[in-house]
Amino acid sequence: MESRRFLAGHANARLLAKDKAIGLLELLGSFGELYGPVRNGGGSSTFRAVKKPADIDLNSLRTLLPPKKILYPPTDELLEFTADGGFRSKEETGPARIVLFGLHPCDINAVLTLDQVFSGRFEEPRYLARRRRTAVIGLDCLPDELCFCHSTKTDFSDRGFDLFLTDLGEAYFVRIGTALGDDIIRAGRDIFQPIGPESIDQYKDKTNRRHAAFSHRVELVDLPHILELDYDSEIWESLGRKCFSCGSCSAVCPTCYCYDVFDQVNLDGRSGSRVRIWDSCLTNSFARVADGHNYRQDKSTRIKLRYYHKQIAFVEQYGRPSCVGCGRCIAACPAEISVIDVLNAIFREKVVK
Ligand code: SF4
Ligand code: SF4
């Protein structure tokens, strides 16, 4: 997926003047279909195919849906069938090459998390096929009050990108992550400049300013053990009473990957298709089985499962939590449930009020 290439010293980075940013976006369009955060009305932005490079929101902080929707579509038709028992698998379709522009460090770390899941014991070939055709261009950001990626240690990317842009004010500091990133730099040799001592100092200043800009710290040390101890805590009952089971938190989460598969029959009654859709462990139907029994009827057990899977089960399987601290679930929750408050309450207050 990623061929890492280490280049010596200053060869590992370039400078891109801000007035050349559109030139870079046009260049990226020649490396594949360009996707990035595009402005909506009302100040938000959405990851989507970019028609005009100028549409890209270079200052976007948090898109509603993460870039996983490009690599792992919300609905995906897997096969077509007919009443006589025949079926035909549907090929994974998508652009021949994809360029994902504007991923912040949390989202890059989230894509690396999905890579681990989908390339593990049970490979997910459709995701992996798209992923292998995808270039990632990272872009730094300044956190708002919902970000806690410095606590989850996903506020920096040292891999998972081909190029990574850091905004220095007048120019971008461009780190080169892979051989493909190096190819892009070579193809755009007219728009990039060598870095000098001044830009290195500015890069360090920006990194320090970004570290200082986080307003929350979430305690994650020993969290899996503390959560185990808090299995019967009133916190879960309290959260269950607040939660609407809408599943929005899973839909917007860049590392949630559960899905459901169902058959839809066409109006002719003789043919149809099998479709995979994103699912959420927060919904009432998630743990319902064939005879109608529901293993997680209570909202409290479902919301507890979400926290235990992200913070315990994922750590046991992959060595780190799957939450990357992006804050999307906080922004999307109609019940105003905040993962920051919940995790801090587990450590400090014990009971969520
Ligand atoms: S759980 Fe919430 S904060 Fe963590 S990665 Fe998912 S959406 Fe982001
Ligand atoms: S978004 Fe909030 S209300 Fe909806 S399922 Fe998630 S925690 Fe519950």
Side-chain angles (χ1 to χ4, degrees):
M1 232 160 292
E2 178 185 332
S3 64
R4 193 89 171 90
R5 178 175 171 185
F6 291 97
L7 303 169
H10 290 194
N12 221 356
R14 292 285 188 283
L15 213 56
L16 176 76
K18 283 266 177 88
D19 62 4
K20 302 276 197 257
I22 293 292
L24 171 62
L25 295 172
E26 286 167 352
L27 174 66
L28 291 173
S30 68
F31 280 81
E33 183 154 349
L34 182 61
Y35 291 80
V38 173
R39 273 177 224 98
N40 301 318
S44 63
S45 50
T46 302
F47 261 105
R48 62 168 75 125
V50 176
K51 291 200 178 70
K52 294 194 304 263
D55 291 343
I56 284 198
D57 183 358
L58 291 165
N59 298 309
S60 159
L61 177 58
R62 179 185 300 107
T63 52
L64 175 63
L65 286 179
K68 82 172 175 187
K69 72 174 192 176
I70 315 293
L71 299 166
Y72 176 55
T75 62
D76 200 0
E77 206 171 287
L78 305 177
L79 58 84
E80 291 172 323
F81 58 81
T82 56
D84 62 10
F87 72 90
R88 186 172 64 89
S89 295
K90 299 259 312 199
E91 291 293 313
E92 185 274 324
T93 55
R97 298 283 315 167
I98 298 168
V99 179
L100 283 184
F101 177 89
L103 272 67
H104 298 318
C106 62
D107 279 341
I108 292 176
N109 281 290
V111 171
L112 292 173
T113 302
L114 294 181
D115 289 351
Q116 272 186 300
V117 171
F118 289 139
S119 62
R121 187 167 158 220
F122 302 105
E123 288 199 346
E124 207 300 275
R126 300 168 84 83
Y127 172 90
L128 293 174
R130 279 196 177 209
R131 185 68 178 95
R132 289 192 186 100
R133 308 197 304 266
T134 300
V136 172
I137 313 298
L139 181 64
D140 84 325
C141 49
L142 282 171
D144 70 2
E145 72 286 356
L146 304 185
C147 297
F148 61 104
C149 56
H150 65 317
S151 297
T152 52
K153 298 190 171 34
T154 48
D155 56 331
F156 180 78
S157 310
D158 56 3
R159 64 194 182 93
F161 60 85
D162 297 287
L163 296 177
F164 192 97
L165 280 61
T166 299
D167 187 345
L168 301 183
E170 300 293 314
Y172 292 102
F173 188 97
V174 184
R175 284 191 286 146
I176 306 169
T178 61
L180 175 60
D182 199 33
D183 289 346
I184 297 170
I185 296 285
R186 285 172 201 276
R189 60 173 66 84
D190 297 341
I191 58 175
F192 295 104
Q193 300 164 314
I195 56 168
E198 193 185 335
S199 40
I200 296 172
D201 285 346
Q202 288 173 337
Y203 178 74
K204 290 182 194 169
D205 281 349
K206 177 65 188 289
T207 304
N208 289 329
R209 263 195 301 126
R210 190 165 178 277
H211 281 316
F214 286 92
S215 52
H216 295 286
R217 184 157 296 279
V218 179
E219 192 54 73
L220 295 175
V221 175
D222 205 21
L223 183 62
H225 183 227
I226 302 276
L227 278 171
E228 295 270 19
L229 294 173
D230 258 349
Y231 191 82
D232 294 321
S233 168
E234 159 63 13
I235 285 174
W236 311 116
E237 290 298 327
S238 168
L239 289 171
R241 285 193 291 275
K242 288 177 78 177
C243 175
F244 298 122
S245 298
C246 66
S248 301
C249 47
S250 307
V252 302
C253 179
T255 61
C256 277
Y257 51 84
C258 287
Y259 60 83
D260 196 1
V261 174
F262 67 94
D263 292 344
Q264 55 186 18
V265 179
N266 295 332
L267 287 177
D268 64 11
R270 301 196 49 76
S271 63
S273 55
R274 180 159 294 174
V275 180
R276 179 175 70 186
I277 56 166
W278 289 355
D279 202 356
S280 166
C281 57
L282 275 299
T283 58
N284 185 36
S285 60
F286 186 80
R288 196 164 56 216
V289 291
D291 70 350
H293 180 71
N294 193 333
Y295 285 96
R296 290 193 203 94
Q297 248 173 335
D298 299 332
K299 288 189 288 178
S300 59
T301 58
R302 298 201 291 272
I303 201 159
K304 180 158 65 175
L305 172 79
R306 177 172 167 78
Y307 282 85
Y308 276 52
H309 182 247
K310 287 197 171 294
Q311 302 291 346
I312 300 179
F314 211 86
V315 176
E316 284 170 1
Q317 195 168 359
Y318 297 105
R320 51 150 290 118
S322 68
C323 175
V324 294
C326 70
R328 282 189 179 90
C329 58
I330 309 172
C333 180
E336 298 183 353
I337 293 173
S338 158
V339 59
I340 296 174
D341 294 345
V342 173
L343 295 179
N344 282 336
I346 283 165
F347 271 90
R348 296 185 195 137
E349 300 163 25
K350 295 292 184 199
V351 176
V352 178
K353 301 194 175 69

